[in-house]
């Protein structure tokens, strides 16, 4: 049976439409609908209940060398208070999960995906071996909210003594929000400026209500899963199980920047180095529909009557106001301007390879 987050009653009171997502009952949308919610985050701010996400804490004298072994990125270069995206790979280069690592004064705090909490916990613990390190799953006692959008800083600053204007992108600080001890990360998965907040579970309603009240004059609205998906899709932020998985490696997914071959050995390095040297067998590209049709996850990509790839994510992109998709195709068909067909209900519809991301994130402008 799907679990309810601490904010379930708030979502019901807001007329959120609840669905089972990764074993949790979460709002897929509110009455205004996902397109309006999407625009709200791009133009003002949105608050997301993402407590389905998991969290690990790694401590010990060998915490750094242990994580260097398990993660693909070079975290030895991280300063205290820095946050960094990374991947966890199998020996064959497939992806166990993608994670966010926060380096704190006395520990490493790692945000992991909802569907992978048990798998990730087991994977990390299995590989401790002789490292003097501990891996603690703190998901049950930790709550997670995301406040995203151009007004996010102004809203959160009303509730915290932390100097948010000094907290730059991919940095974190431990402070208080509405009087509650909170890890504040200037991170997010929408392509907008914003924050992810980690705090004691029992304070979820207090923080949700406080943030919603503080943000009301600035246009803050609650945001559901559907808009969260379109918001991450436009800036080409990968979703586990679609753009990355156990059968998809980081290099073919365009995530080579998150893999450090120079740092030394890590799980999956040999397999990924082979892909780097020989070139990936497929590439993740952006597609724009030329003919009418809505591309969806799993739809085949065809050329000259034969299947050459597959859509990983496809939808109407509200900011771009176009029907777009991410898809894997052979390198020969990955050049911008190449025309292919998306097979929709058995019929091929023309689409064209276009530049990605479809939306330039606020932190890259």
């Amino acid at each position: 049976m799907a679990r309810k987050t601490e904010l379930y009653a708030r979502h019901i009171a807001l007329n959120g439409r609840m669905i089972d997502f990764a074993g949790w009952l979460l709002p897929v949308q509110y009455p205004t609908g996902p397109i309006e919610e999407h625009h709200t985050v791009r133009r003002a701010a949105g608050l997301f209940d993402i407590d389905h996400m998991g969290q690990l804490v790694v401590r010990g004298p060998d915490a750094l060398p242990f994580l260097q072994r398990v993660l693909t990125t070079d975290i030895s270069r991280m300063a205290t208070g820095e946050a960094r995206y990374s991947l966890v790979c199998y020996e064959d280069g497939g992806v166990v999960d993608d994670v966010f690592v926060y380096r704190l004064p006395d520990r490493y705090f790692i945000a992991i995906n909802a569907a992978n909490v048990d798998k990730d916990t087991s994977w990390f613990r299995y590989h401790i071996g002789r490292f003097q390190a501990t891996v603690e799953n703190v998901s049950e006692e930790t709550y997670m909210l995301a406040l995203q959008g151009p007004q996010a800083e102004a809203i959160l600053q009303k509730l915290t003594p932390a100097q948010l204007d000094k907290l730059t992108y991919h940095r974190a600080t431990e402070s208080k929000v509405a009087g509650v001890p909170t890890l504040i990360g200037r991170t997010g998965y929408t392509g907008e400026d914003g924050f992810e907040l980690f705090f004691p579970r029992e304070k979820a309603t207090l923080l949700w209500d406080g943030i919603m009240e503080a943000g009301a004059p600035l246009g803050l609205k609650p945001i559901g899963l559907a808009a969260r998906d379109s918001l991450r899709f436009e800036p080409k932020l990968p979703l586990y199980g679609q753009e990355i998985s156990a059968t998809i490696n980081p290099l073919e997914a365009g995530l080579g920047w998150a893999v450090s071959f120079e740092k030394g050995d890590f799980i999956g390095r040999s397999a990924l180095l082979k892909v780097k040297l020989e070139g990936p067998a497929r590439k993740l590209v952006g597609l724009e529909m030329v003919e009418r049709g809505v591309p969806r996850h799993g739809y085949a990509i065809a050329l000259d009557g034969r299947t050459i790839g597959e859509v990983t994510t496809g939808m109407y992109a509200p900011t771009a106001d176009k029907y777009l998709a991410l898809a894997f195709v052979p390198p020969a068909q990955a050049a911008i301007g190449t025309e292919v067909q998306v097979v929709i209900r058995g019929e091929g519809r023309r689409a064209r390879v276009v530049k990605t991301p479809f939306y330039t994130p606020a932190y890259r402008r």
Side-chain angles (χ1 to χ4, degrees):
M1 181 180 293
R3 298 177 60 182
K4 297 177 181 178
T5 73
E6 297 294 318
L7 296 172
Y8 179 82
R10 289 292 187 272
H11 301 316
I12 295 298
L14 290 164
N15 295 313
R17 182 156 70 85
M18 311 300 285
I19 64 166
D20 182 341
F21 181 79
W24 291 86
L25 287 174
L26 293 165
V28 66
Q29 67 177 74
Y30 296 92
T32 54
I35 293 178
E36 185 56 34
E37 291 173 30
H38 179 109
H39 289 313
T40 294
V41 176
R42 291 275 185 255
R43 298 167 182 166
L47 187 60
F48 303 73
D49 178 4
I50 49 175
D51 189 50
H52 57 298
M53 300 287 285
Q55 299 84 30
L56 301 177
V57 170
V58 178
R59 289 187 173 92
D62 288 344
L64 175 56
F66 165 65
L67 290 175
Q68 287 285 74
R69 169 70 177 156
V70 176
L71 303 175
T72 61
T73 193
D74 186 357
I75 63 168
S76 69
R77 301 189 178 196
M78 290 177 66
T80 299
E82 186 178 346
R84 185 172 293 188
Y85 177 86
S86 185
L87 297 146
V88 183
C89 284
Y90 294 103
E91 286 288 2
D92 67 359
V95 178
V96 178
D97 202 2
D98 61 337
V99 302
F100 248 95
V101 183
Y102 298 78
R103 183 173 184 176
L104 303 176
D106 61 341
R107 67 200 187 282
Y108 290 90
F109 186 88
I110 304 173
I112 59 181
N113 281 301
N116 296 333
V117 172
D118 292 340
K119 177 184 69 174
D120 287 4
T121 303
S122 297
W123 183 263
F124 274 70
R125 287 176 175 167
Y126 178 81
H127 287 95
I128 289 176
R130 296 184 179 181
F131 290 109
Q132 295 183 52
T134 61
V135 175
E136 182 183 4
N137 186 327
V138 296
S139 306
E140 287 300 317
E141 58 260 45
T142 306
Y143 211 88
M144 186 174 179
L145 294 176
L147 176 62
Q148 302 282 296
Q151 294 295 335
E153 181 183 308
I155 293 167
L156 192 60
Q157 193 63 80
K158 296 181 181 183
L159 301 170
T160 180
Q163 292 182 286
L164 298 181
D165 60 337
K166 302 268 174 53
L167 190 68
T168 55
Y169 179 63
H170 276 191
R171 295 285 171 168
T173 186
E174 295 180 278
S175 185
K176 289 186 177 181
V177 176
V180 177
T182 302
L183 172 61
I184 304 171
R186 195 145 202 163
T187 51
Y189 223 60
T190 63
E192 296 301 329
D193 185 22
F195 304 89
E196 291 178 313
L197 310 173
F198 306 88
F199 53 89
R201 173 175 299 278
E202 63 271 16
K203 300 297 184 180
T205 302
L206 174 65
L207 258 69
W208 175 274
D209 290 347
I211 295 170
M212 289 299 295
E213 182 179 354
L218 295 174
L220 176 67
K221 300 293 182 184
I223 309 297
L225 292 170
R228 186 167 184 253
D229 194 35
S230 60
L231 287 161
R232 71 91 195 164
F233 166 70
E234 290 183 336
K236 199 186 178 184
L237 301 176
L239 179 64
Y240 190 86
Q242 293 183 206
E243 283 75 41
I244 49 175
S245 73
T247 60
I248 301 171
N249 70 64
L251 302 186
E252 58 193 2
L255 298 171
W257 55 269
V259 178
S260 174
F261 292 102
E262 296 76 19
K263 71 169 182 172
D265 196 27
F266 59 87
I267 299 170
R269 184 182 187 276
S270 295
L272 292 176
L273 185 58
K274 184 174 186 292
V275 174
K276 180 181 180 181
L277 295 175
E278 297 179 357
R282 55 185 175 175
K283 290 187 176 182
L284 187 67
V285 301
L287 296 177
E288 179 181 339
M289 296 303 299
V290 176
E291 291 187 297
R292 188 181 181 90
V294 183
R296 298 291 187 195
H297 170 68
Y299 284 8
I301 304 298
L303 182 67
D304 299 329
R306 61 187 178 90
T307 298
I308 63 166
E310 184 175 275
V311 172
T312 60
T313 302
M315 65 181 73
Y316 170 72
T319 311
D321 191 25
K322 295 175 180 177
Y323 288 94
L324 303 171
L326 293 172
F328 279 111
V329 299
Q333 280 74 48
I336 292 174
T338 302
E339 284 210 0
V340 295
Q341 291 184 323
V342 178
V343 181
I344 302 175
R345 298 186 184 89
E347 183 180 343
R349 299 298 180 95
R350 291 169 57 216
R352 182 182 299 114
V353 176
V354 295
K355 184 180 178 181
T356 57
F358 307 122
Y359 176 79
T360 303
Y363 41 83
R364 291 184 186 167
R365 293 175 209 155

